[in-house]
Amino acid sequence: MRARTPRIGILTGGGDCPGLNGVIRAVTKTAQNEFGATVLGIEDGFEGLVEGRAHELSHAEVSGILGRGGTILGTSNKGDPWHYPIPGPDGRIERTDQSARALERIAQWGLDALVAVGGDGTMHIASRLAQAGVRVVGVPKTIDNDVPGTDVTFGFDTAVSIVCESIDRLATTASAHHRIMVVETMGRYAGWIALMGGVAGGADAVLIPEIPFGWPAVVRKVSERVEHGKRFSIVCVAEGVRVPGSGEVIAENDPRRTDPKRLGGIGAVVADAISRLSGHETRVTVLGHLQRGGPPSAADRVLATGLGTEAARCACSGRTDVMVAVRDCGIRPIPLAEATGALRTVPLDHHLISAARAVGTCFGDESCE
Ligand code: F6P
């Protein structure tokens, strides 16, 4: 009698990012080609798991999607089964425990394993599912690059390229009009996108959540440039930066989200302060979801393929409670527990901070006052 072939599920959770389709393609093709497995695509992240929305992925459906942004499965940042948002009788959102429904679905669909592709929130939920007895393999994704346990996440490289190109474009118009351009990047509580994008674009000041800044240092930097004949400046600011004396700038609080807080708006605050305190004409550009949309970079396609392939091999060969991670230029499974601790923020001794300071980039702290 032939052994039963594996049946695995895959979902993409949290905010989308370029490379998700590359992972779906790699997981499905590897599972089918190497294990003869069936792959069930669960729609809209954990919401689809709780609500029971899924379909089998065919070879044809995952063919030709490597270079496509978004996710063919859909995603959601509102479906944590243990804190599932349901409108109460008064219309207010109540968070309820729907984990039993999620576990029933997995049993009903006959899944041997689940591949959960997502950021820190998704890895946390994946870890709880593993504790509840589900065979789970995580794949780290996010433009924010803040998942612990992996050296890098796919989506990040594409986002950094977009920030770099945007700064290149803003620099020419800034130079023509002798203006200060403030560029706000995403990244949540980590400054990776602003740091790497800012350095790649040659920003004059880079403000990240990890380095508290003060207005005098930033104003001095842009004014000094004017004094030296450079009549424009680029200030790259991460959305999670805290305003001196007041804190994070929050665009919205939405109780349905896994992290209710949606950051946004620091760019306008910084632009307004620079204009007021320096007298220089200032503009702000919020890059927003441009950093997440569109085709993945070549590096992100390669990473997505490597991670997806390894995840399928883990899922089809009985590994569980692991996340496939980039470590020392290779890809290997690590315990999910290592991927669910504190967010991976930029260490203050990161070589790029030192390199940026060496070429004159101001981080808004006392070292450039
Ligand atoms: O985590 C990815 C991310 O793009 C963050 O950088 C940003 O803060 C957040 O998602 C935006 O969320 P939304 O897409 O729900 O506006």
Side-chain angles (χ1 to χ4, degrees):
M1 205 174 75
R2 282 181 62 192
R4 194 176 74 80
T5 54
R7 183 171 165 81
I8 65 171
I10 179 169
L11 62 78
T12 53
D16 72 314
C17 81
L20 283 169
N21 285 325
V23 173
I24 297 167
R25 168 182 177 269
V27 166
T28 307
K29 287 191 172 186
T30 306
Q32 289 174 346
N33 294 343
E34 293 190 357
F35 299 87
T38 308
V39 181
L40 195 72
I42 299 163
E43 294 158 24
D44 305 328
F46 291 104
E47 241 179 78
L49 182 61
V50 171
E51 306 293 342
R53 292 196 300 271
H55 64 279
E56 268 182 29
L57 291 173
S58 66
H59 188 279
E61 191 175 351
V62 300
S63 181
I65 62 171
L66 179 58
R68 203 190 298 167
T71 158
I72 60 163
L73 294 176
T75 188
S76 165
N77 49 20
K78 302 186 175 83
D80 180 347
W82 277 269
H83 299 96
Y84 201 73
I86 290 189
D90 58 356
R92 287 238 312 266
I93 298 297
E94 287 173 12
R95 286 169 169 251
T96 61
D97 184 355
Q98 300 291 323
S99 55
R101 277 171 74 193
L103 295 172
E104 273 161 31
R105 279 307 164 206
I106 290 170
Q108 177 196 338
W109 286 331
L111 296 183
D112 298 306
L114 175 69
V115 176
V117 192
D120 66 303
T122 300
M123 292 311 129
H124 179 71
I125 298 166
S127 168
R128 292 196 78 170
L129 286 170
Q131 283 158 28
V134 179
R135 230 159 79 189
V136 187
V137 177
V139 182
K141 72 86 230 196
T142 170
I143 63 165
D144 305 335
N145 200 31
D146 59 358
V147 178
T150 184
D151 294 344
V152 69
T153 54
F154 70 86
F156 174 61
D157 181 71
T158 309
V160 168
S161 304
I162 290 163
V163 174
C164 174
E165 187 192 334
S166 305
I167 292 178
D168 286 348
R169 290 177 186 280
L170 290 167
T172 59
T173 168
S175 160
H177 284 269
H178 318 303
R179 285 172 172 156
I180 315 296
M181 291 290 186
V182 176
V183 188
E184 177 181 317
T185 72
M186 282 187 165
R188 287 201 309 168
Y189 312 105
W192 292 108
I193 300 178
L195 174 64
M196 297 260 185
V199 168
D204 305 295
V206 173
L207 306 180
I208 60 174
E210 293 84 349
I211 304 180
F213 83 99
W215 297 118
V218 179
V219 170
R220 181 167 318 164
K221 176 71 188 177
V222 300
S223 300
E224 262 173 22
R225 279 178 53 81
V226 175
E227 284 157 25
H228 292 125
K230 296 268 194 179
R231 295 171 64 200
F232 76 98
S233 289
I234 303 288
V235 178
C236 183
V237 53
E239 64 180 0
V241 160
R242 292 169 175 273
V243 179
S246 62
E248 287 161 346
V249 182
I250 296 167
E252 181 194 31
N253 261 302
D254 180 348
R256 292 168 303 167
R257 296 166 66 99
T258 306
D259 176 0
K261 220 189 296 177
R262 186 165 67 79
L263 298 169
I266 180 76
V269 175
V270 170
D272 181 59
I274 292 176
S275 156
R276 243 180 327 102
L277 299 171
S278 74
H280 298 304
E281 195 177 10
T282 307
R283 295 285 187 271
V284 62
T285 301
V286 179
L287 295 179
H289 293 82
L290 287 172
Q291 294 157 98
R292 284 204 342 222
S297 66
D300 279 338
R301 295 178 200 204
V302 170
L303 191 52
T305 302
L307 289 168
T309 300
E310 183 62 18
R313 289 181 181 148
C314 287
C316 292
S317 61
R319 296 292 302 263
T320 184
D321 206 4
V322 292
M323 179 185 85
V324 290
V326 180
R327 289 274 180 92
D328 309 322
C329 301
I331 292 177
R332 61 185 168 88
I334 61 164
L336 257 177
E338 285 181 35
T340 47
L343 286 178
R344 198 179 75 96
T345 53
V346 180
L348 292 179
D349 61 355
H350 194 277
H351 67 89
L352 202 52
I353 294 181
S354 153
R357 288 195 200 279
V359 297
T361 309
C362 169
F363 285 92
D365 56 351
E366 63 283 351
S367 63
C368 62
E369 272 180 30

